[in-house]
Amino acid sequence: MATMTGISPEVLAKYQPVIGLEVHVQLLTETKAFCGCVNKYGGEPNTHTCPTCLGLPGALPVLNRKAVEFAVLASKAIGCTINETSIFSRKNYFYPDSPKGYQISQFDKPLAEHGKLFVTGPDGQPRPIGITRLHMEEDAGKSVHDGFADSVSRTYVDLNRCGTPLVEIVSEPDLRTADEVFEYLTKLKEILLYAGVSDCNMEEGSLRCDANVSVMLKGAKEYGTKAEVKNVNSFRYIRSAVEYEIERQIGVIEEGGRVVQESRLWNQGEGRTYSMRSKEQAHDYRYFPEPDLPPLVVGAEWQEEIISALPELPEARRARMIAAYDISEQDAMTLTATKAFADKFEAAATKAKSAKRVASLLTSELTMRLRAAELEMDQSPVSMDGLVMAADLAESGELSSKMLKQLLDSCFASGEDFPVVYEREKPQQISDTGAIEAMIDEVIAANPKQVEQYRAGKKTVAAFFVGNVMRLSKGQANPALLNQLVAKKLDGQ
Ligand code: ADP
Ligand code: ZN
Ligand code: MG
């Protein structure tokens, strides 16, 4: 196994990495956390601002109800217990993009605690990762270091982001590998997207993650000193950054040095982390209760009302769909990739003759063609309704699987939906009574046992004959006529 830093795998194997994550998530409210300014990414710099989010003297914060509701939804979705009463605190620090000189956050009494998420453990079984807390806070503005003619000598400040509602989700130091970090983040993002509380767009900074990493000798009782890796804007980069940081710390210890508690920056281009600053301790922030906001009380009734809007979450949904449609875990992953897609699929599939057939068409034939054409699911020429039509025709035996595949090929060649292509290219229908009767006779002669069952009263066996004749006719028998003639032959012969 290649390592990032050249440390041998044998040396790495002596150590146990320990990782805890702090994830900041912007909430999808229309307005900011404590004022009426629009909560929207981008915009002309410093236009989404008012005296409150600019921190002008005398301006007072008013808590956004919707932000609380989203925070409660997020808390519940990750299995946290809500504290009926939580307290806003001031976290004091100076930063040019934070004009108040403090951030409204929650400290010793957060909104929610004691959640968990599962990752896949080394034995393939789900392993719980504790979530220490979820607390509400506000975002800071942005320092803009480039893009201006005089950017070499000046930094500009854009306060549009100031006061955007955030939740911070802090994990226990339960993660053990970079892959687990990746999985945890992927799951967390999926859940938050399903819950509809954030767009989790990492490029725009709506989801940001700091990784706390330490290493200790295997079997040690006490965790090592941690360093915090900040500013990594994709899950893949975070995985690399954590992997690198683990090896760097092992290197330091192996050389007889000590890991220092600090914040480090990941540089993707160079594939390494750099020391940024020594980490502040909590007491440096001089936290104290926010005097301009009363305690936040989310009583049982309000909690219930909020939680009733929580949709079925991805893992539960996958389990249900695996059972309902008899599909593989892999296929369930495809179908539940986004809530919108899963909703769309299920709405259509329940209208189909066989939801299972729609699922299997979608995850095999359709997915295969999308991949070959390098298209995303939402760019598919075949709509969900078109797919249901195709599945129904296959289910009734009116389309052979070969014909179905040809029609789908045509859809992808022409960019047209299935019903259009079907109308034009559907198999020639045989409506010649004599020809169909001849085929029915052939099938009846070959299946005396089924004939007997039918005559003994099991009328559903008719479908067996219809299906077989349809296949024999290569899908070309007129279905209405076929049904009629099969019944006639079985009853009247
Ligand atoms: P701090 O006071 O430095 O902010 P916290 O105890 O609040 O530290 O933890 C912050 C994050 O760091 C949490 O996600 C936690 O799980 C993680 N963490 C704490 N100790 C360690 C450690 N020794 N190694 C790795 N992560 C740690
Ligand atoms: Zn404002
Ligand atoms: Mg802390």
Side-chain angles (χ1 to χ4, degrees), residues 34-51:
F34 302 111
C35 62
C37 290
V38 63
N39 172 26
K40 197 156 183 254
Y41 178 78
E44 267 303 293
N46 301 306
T47 54
H48 305 164
T49 54
C50 72

Side-chain angles (χ1 to χ4, degrees), residues 8-187:
S8 77
E10 294 73 41
V11 172
L12 286 186
K14 294 196 302 184
Y15 290 88
Q16 176 61 66
V18 171
I19 309 138
L21 300 178
E22 293 164 291
V23 177
H24 287 90
V25 183
Q26 289 183 347
L27 301 175
L28 269 179
T29 53
E30 308 215 328
T31 54
K32 293 185 179 181
F34 302 111
C35 62
C37 290
V38 63
N39 172 26
K40 197 156 183 254
Y41 178 78
E44 267 303 293
N46 301 306
T47 54
H48 305 164
T49 54
C50 72
T52 300
C53 57
L54 290 175
L56 300 188
L60 292 172
V62 177
L63 179 57
N64 181 338
R65 189 180 173 89
K66 196 73 203 168
V68 178
E69 295 182 351
F70 279 156
V72 169
L73 275 179
S75 304
K76 277 291 163 187
I78 53 175
C80 284
T81 308
I82 311 283
N83 290 322
E84 267 208 21
T85 303
S86 59
I87 308 282
F88 285 102
S89 293
R90 285 191 184 179
K91 180 178 183 180
N92 299 283
Y93 60 92
F94 171 79
Y95 227 71
D97 51 25
S98 176
K100 292 205 297 284
Y102 60 86
Q103 175 192 30
I104 302 180
S105 181
Q106 294 186 311
F107 183 52
D108 41 9
K109 203 88 165 78
L111 176 70
E113 294 171 279
H114 312 304
K116 60 171 176 283
L117 275 187
F118 289 90
V119 297
T120 314
D123 53 358
Q125 293 302 308
R127 200 168 78 69
I129 304 300
I131 291 171
T132 317
R133 57 191 273 144
L134 178 151
H135 66 250
M136 299 185 68
E137 58 185 31
E138 58 177 337
D139 213 339
K142 277 183 197 167
S143 294
V144 186
H145 300 288
D146 37 40
F148 291 95
D150 55 357
S151 281
V152 201
S153 55
R154 278 170 208 259
T155 292
Y156 288 82
V157 170
D158 176 7
L159 299 176
N160 281 351
R161 197 176 71 176
C162 253
T164 294
L166 295 178
V167 291
E168 178 173 344
I169 299 169
V170 183
S171 89
E172 291 288 306
D174 287 347
L175 294 153
R176 292 293 174 266
T177 65
D179 284 337
E180 285 188 356
V181 166
F182 186 85
E183 193 186 346
Y184 171 94
L185 289 170
T186 305
K187 292 223 162 122

Side-chain angles (χ1 to χ4, degrees), residues 228-337:
E228 181 188 37
V229 185
K230 296 182 93 83
N231 229 21
V232 199
N233 61 5
S234 92
F235 291 171
R236 279 191 306 125
Y237 293 176
I238 293 172
R239 178 162 58 189
S240 306
V242 167
E243 223 161 285
Y244 172 86
E245 185 58 20
I246 290 168
E247 293 183 24
R248 182 192 70 84
Q249 293 184 11
I250 291 173
V252 167
I253 296 170
E254 284 286 314
E255 279 164 25
R258 291 173 63 162
V259 174
V260 282
Q261 168 138 342
E262 62 182 352
S263 296
R264 298 180 68 88
L265 277 185
W266 170 247
N267 183 314
Q268 176 64 25
E270 295 175 34
R272 56 163 293 182
T273 59
Y274 281 96
S275 176
M276 181 167 73
R277 55 164 195 249
S278 69
K279 167 101 171 121
E280 303 80 358
Q281 303 286 329
H283 60 248
D284 294 332
Y285 291 118
R286 293 279 181 238
Y287 278 99
F288 63 85
E290 167 61 58
D292 293 338
L293 287 167
L296 170 60
V297 179
V298 188
E301 223 168 279
W302 190 19
Q303 279 184 45
E304 229 165 81
E305 188 190 316
I306 297 168
I307 294 158
S308 66
L310 195 62
E312 186 178 29
L313 293 173
E315 224 140 292
R317 185 163 199 175
R318 275 196 282 277
R320 179 178 59 72
M321 287 172 67
I322 287 169
Y325 310 125
D326 190 19
I327 51 177
S328 67
E329 168 94 38
Q330 187 55 45
D331 289 349
M333 291 296 278
T334 308
L335 294 177
T336 57

Side-chain angles (χ1 to χ4, degrees), residues 180-493:
E180 285 188 356
V181 166
F182 186 85
E183 193 186 346
Y184 171 94
L185 289 170
T186 305
K187 292 223 162 122
L188 180 61
K189 176 176 167 183
E190 191 185 36
I191 289 172
L192 295 170
L193 284 173
Y194 260 70
V197 300
S198 175
D199 62 19
C200 296
N201 183 335
M202 291 192 83
E203 266 131 61
E204 295 182 357
S206 355
L207 188 152
R208 313 196 286 272
C209 172
D210 300 335
N212 298 272
V213 179
S214 69
V215 299
M216 60 183 176
L217 280 170
K218 279 189 177 153
K221 292 258 172 332
E222 248 176 75
Y223 291 155
T225 303
K226 67 174 156 47
E228 181 188 37
V229 185
K230 296 182 93 83
N231 229 21
V232 199
N233 61 5
S234 92
F235 291 171
R236 279 191 306 125
Y237 293 176
I238 293 172
R239 178 162 58 189
S240 306
V242 167
E243 223 161 285
Y244 172 86
E245 185 58 20
I246 290 168
E247 293 183 24
R248 182 192 70 84
Q249 293 184 11
I250 291 173
V252 167
I253 296 170
E254 284 286 314
E255 279 164 25
R258 291 173 63 162
V259 174
V260 282
Q261 168 138 342
E262 62 182 352
S263 296
R264 298 180 68 88
L265 277 185
W266 170 247
N267 183 314
Q268 176 64 25
E270 295 175 34
R272 56 163 293 182
T273 59
Y274 281 96
S275 176
M276 181 167 73
R277 55 164 195 249
S278 69
K279 167 101 171 121
E280 303 80 358
Q281 303 286 329
H283 60 248
D284 294 332
Y285 291 118
R286 293 279 181 238
Y287 278 99
F288 63 85
E290 167 61 58
D292 293 338
L293 287 167
L296 170 60
V297 179
V298 188
E301 223 168 279
W302 190 19
Q303 279 184 45
E304 229 165 81
E305 188 190 316
I306 297 168
I307 294 158
S308 66
L310 195 62
E312 186 178 29
L313 293 173
E315 224 140 292
R317 185 163 199 175
R318 275 196 282 277
R320 179 178 59 72
M321 287 172 67
I322 287 169
Y325 310 125
D326 190 19
I327 51 177
S328 67
E329 168 94 38
Q330 187 55 45
D331 289 349
M333 291 296 278
T334 308
L335 294 177
T336 57
T338 67
K339 180 176 178 298
F341 185 71
D343 287 348
K344 204 166 138 194
F345 165 75
E346 290 211 273
T350 46
K351 287 186 293 188
K353 289 199 169 89
S354 158
K356 186 184 167 196
R357 192 182 283 270
V358 182
S360 95
L361 257 188
L362 197 152
T363 52
S364 58
E365 299 299 332
L366 189 69
T367 304
M368 200 176 79
R369 284 171 178 76
L370 286 170
R371 209 166 287 153
E374 293 181 12
L375 294 175
E376 295 299 323
M377 197 61 92
D378 59 7
Q379 301 169 307
S380 170
V382 180
S383 68
M384 202 63 88
D385 286 338
L387 198 69
V388 167
M389 177 180 175
D392 282 352
L393 288 167
E395 190 67 23
S396 65
E398 284 167 72
L399 274 185
S400 67
S401 74
K402 189 169 148 223
M403 196 62 215
L404 177 58
K405 286 176 193 178
Q406 281 172 14
L407 291 174
L408 288 176
D409 283 339
S410 295
C411 292
F412 276 78
S414 68
E416 293 162 306
D417 201 354
F418 187 83
V420 180
V421 170
Y422 179 75
E423 258 327 296
R424 190 173 57 231
E425 298 178 20
K426 71 180 162 198
Q428 284 290 314
Q429 277 203 343
I430 304 173
S431 297
D432 171 355
T433 309
I436 296 176
E437 279 183 338
M439 287 187 281
I440 298 176
D441 288 340
E442 192 181 329
V443 173
I444 284 180
N447 297 287
K449 222 172 78 202
Q450 280 79 359
V451 175
E452 226 168 88
Q453 287 175 352
Y454 181 88
R455 297 207 172 125
K458 198 171 168 200
K459 299 288 175 196
T460 50
V461 178
F464 165 83
F465 289 96
V466 170
N468 272 286
V469 175
M470 194 52 102
R471 256 180 289 281
L472 195 61
S473 75
K474 302 204 167 62
Q476 296 181 358
N478 176 323
L481 191 57
L482 172 59
N483 272 301
Q484 194 190 324
L485 292 174
V486 162
K488 195 174 118 200
K489 284 259 174 197
L490 287 172
D491 291 332
Q493 200 179 35

